[in-house]
Amino acid sequence: MSRSVLIVILALAAVSVASCSTANAHKPAPAPFVGRSTTLDVTHGIKVLTNVQMPDGFAPISTRPPIWLREGDEIGIVGTQAGHTIMYGLGGAAWRTGRILAAETGPAAAEEGTIADLAASPNGLTLATAMVAPGGNRVDVIIRDLIATGAGNVIASFNGQYDSISMNWLNNATIALALRRHPEPLESGVNDETLKSDPDQPDVEAPPNRPDGLQLIVVTGAGSVAPLKFSCPMSALSWSAHSVYAVGQGDAGAPPVIIDRRNSTCTKFHVPVPIHVLDWDPDDEGAFLYVGPDPSRRTIGVFKYNIATGAENLVGVSTGAAAFAGSSNTITLGNQKLRFRMAIDRPEATLLAQVAISRPEQSELDVKPLGFDTTAEMLAQSTMEYSKSADEAAMQVYAPSLPVPWRKLVTYSLKYDSAFLLAQGPARGAVTMSWSLKGRWLAFLDGDATAGTVMTVLVPPR
């Protein structure tokens, strides 16, 4: 059995720290941390704009970072509560005024059902929700104007059961909805031969034609739906900067694929197992970074792939954190000496955490140490959010510690060539983060349903 590259996150018992003083004691030095989320202590001196406690029982979803809406006036927070997916909007002074933007049940829900996907328009003014109706035989797309009141309205419906439902905005007026229909067996006693070639049988109504594949939904005016038929099955899509290409990232029921809208083609990707697209090159429409398995499928790496040429390059070993940093340059969290064999054979070996900035046009590779140790196992769990406006990366990194690994939130500024530890604490629960539109602020969500969840917005030092 191959060894897992994932970190085992253990529960942490609460620890209280007592202190005492005497009348003759010297004044103590300032505490190293002054801000607090649920599990993380914010480094002394970093400006915290807000801490907002989420409702009891709310838990973050690890794949859903905070969403900046209405030019930063509101932050969308997606998680689970009482067994249902819910999205809150936090706005007003210090983002402390809350409202429900999408829900599966209750008076704030546009309709009851199961939320399959959520996506905000590029300008942050409109929210789209893909809702599976009770019974699972219909998908409704609900549009909500975030400036107006009300839970929103259904603008398109698709009958049938689907194994994959994903949604992206191509622009402020168009949604790409990717559907993979669940196979529907013919009714008992009816087969293809009966339907097609037996003249003595009475006419048999064929099974209904369920929508399948990629649906382009125009939300302005009267609205419209334009189906695009491709020969390959859909999975969660990631779109290029100008929506020319999309990568179906694959899942248990479908392999990864590449969609070319310009030529109306869909082809299988050369990696047959699911991948995760991290970023698209804004200067080269067909180049993207993805996390995928190494050749032995026992660990992972970050790869850069070019659709036009088919060229592929290894960017990082046993890491989940990389991004494009402009002009086809990349920034990657990892270790320069780490190789796939070492990551497989010695996943718990101590390594120095490093950031590598690759500039292919200049044939340059700058490697910057972050000042603490990690392991290949922990690097595989790392994440990165990159602000192209600020040229700054925010990274979630893990370090060896007992009784549980230690989580660190670190930023690295390419402009100032400097790294800062923003916050740290025991690796418990989930942490998600995202940059504001201009990269001035970083929001992160921290916690779980038991310990509670807090949203923090801070100003990274530069």
Side-chain angles (χ1 to χ4, degrees):
M1 180 182 295
S2 62
R3 182 169 188 143
S4 171
V5 299
L6 301 181
I7 305 171
V8 178
I9 306 297
L10 303 176
L12 179 72
V15 178
S16 61
V17 180
S19 62
C20 60
S21 62
T22 67
N24 296 325
H26 294 290
K27 183 178 179 180
F33 302 99
V34 294
R36 179 76 191 175
S37 63
T38 300
T39 65
L40 301 176
D41 292 313
V42 178
T43 304
H44 176 71
I46 292 180
K47 184 177 181 180
V48 176
L49 299 180
T50 194
N51 285 116
V52 181
Q53 180 74 44
M54 301 302 295
D56 291 343
F58 180 90
I61 297 175
S62 61
T63 56
R64 297 285 184 179
I67 305 171
W68 293 82
L69 305 169
R70 300 194 292 124
E71 298 184 346
D73 288 344
E74 188 170 23
I75 302 176
I77 303 297
V78 183
T80 59
Q81 188 174 332
H84 293 283
T85 299
I86 191 168
M87 180 177 184
Y88 287 100
L90 303 180
W95 299 282
R96 290 185 177 277
T97 302
R99 61 173 176 162
I100 297 176
L101 298 181
E104 296 182 334
T105 187
E111 64 177 25
E112 295 204 349
T114 302
I115 294 175
D117 203 2
L118 291 154
S121 60
N123 61 13
L125 298 179
T126 309
L127 178 68
T129 305
M131 183 77 76
V132 179
N137 291 315
R138 189 182 75 249
V139 175
D140 294 332
V141 176
I142 301 166
I143 292 296
R144 175 170 182 168
D145 183 345
L146 297 179
I147 301 297
T149 59
N153 300 292
V154 175
I155 63 163
S157 295
F158 303 89
N159 293 327
Q161 293 183 333
Y162 298 93
D163 292 335
S164 179
I165 303 167
S166 68
M167 189 167 50
N168 305 82
W169 289 81
L170 303 187
N171 52 53
N172 290 320
T174 307
I175 296 170
L177 178 68
L179 300 172
R180 186 173 80 247
R181 188 177 60 212
H182 182 74
E184 297 180 0
L186 294 173
E187 294 182 4
S188 177
V190 179
N191 54 41
D192 287 343
E193 185 177 349
T194 301
L195 289 174
K196 291 186 292 186
S197 60
D198 191 343
D200 296 327
Q201 293 289 333
D203 291 340
V204 178
E205 183 179 355
N209 182 24
R210 309 295 191 191
D212 194 18
L214 187 60
Q215 317 289 320
L216 299 186
I217 305 171
V218 177
V219 302
T220 56
S224 64
V225 177
L228 300 180
K229 291 294 291 182
F230 290 107
S231 58
C232 49
M234 295 290 102
S235 57
L237 298 183
S238 174
W239 288 87
S240 63
H242 300 99
S243 304
V244 174
Y245 299 103
V247 172
Q249 300 171 89
D251 55 34
V257 298
I258 294 178
I259 294 172
D260 182 344
R261 282 185 65 207
R262 184 179 291 142
N263 295 311
S264 299
T265 60
C266 181
T267 57
K268 285 186 178 181
F269 194 47
H270 68 278
V271 179
V273 296
I275 63 173
H276 174 54
V277 177
L278 295 175
D279 199 10
W280 289 84
D281 190 341
D283 299 320
D284 184 351
E285 181 75 16
F288 62 93
L289 299 174
Y290 74 92
V291 178
D294 80 302
S296 72
R297 300 191 189 178
R298 295 175 63 191
T299 186
I300 61 170
V302 173
F303 302 87
K304 178 181 177 181
Y305 185 80
N306 188 293
I307 295 174
T309 65
E312 185 169 81
N313 304 103
L314 177 64
V315 175
V317 171
S318 190
T319 179
F324 283 106
S327 302
S328 297
N329 301 334
T330 59
I331 177 171
T332 307
L333 173 68
N335 180 275
Q336 188 178 23
K337 296 181 180 180
L338 185 59
R339 300 293 183 268
F340 282 132
R341 177 50 56 190
M342 179 181 176
I344 294 170
D345 293 343
R346 300 169 58 199
E348 297 177 356
T350 300
L351 301 165
L352 180 63
Q354 298 174 327
V355 169
I357 299 92
S358 174
R359 301 179 178 89
E361 293 183 0
Q362 290 80 33
S363 300
E364 294 178 356
L365 179 66
D366 293 336
V367 179
K368 311 289 184 179
L370 293 179
F372 59 89
D373 290 334
T374 185
T375 69
E377 227 174 14
M378 293 178 179
L379 282 173
Q381 282 290 92
S382 60
T383 62
M384 177 185 293
E385 294 293 331
Y386 189 79
S387 169
K388 291 178 171 57
S389 299
D391 283 334
E392 190 163 350
M395 295 164 282
Q396 180 177 194
V397 200
Y398 299 91
S401 177
L402 293 175
V404 295
W406 207 246
R407 176 185 277 130
K408 296 174 180 283
L409 299 189
V410 182
T411 56
Y412 176 78
S413 170
L414 274 73
K415 181 177 181 180
Y416 299 106
D417 188 23
S418 58
F420 292 94
L421 175 64
L422 299 182
Q424 61 180 331
R428 183 186 65 199
V431 170
T432 64
M433 55 187 175
S434 65
W435 290 97
S436 63
L437 301 181
K438 296 182 180 179
R440 296 164 54 196
W441 309 317
L442 182 73
F444 66 88
L445 199 63
D446 166 33
D448 57 33
T450 302
T453 300
V454 171
M455 185 198 74
T456 302
V457 181
L458 51 75
V459 183
R462 295 182 172 101

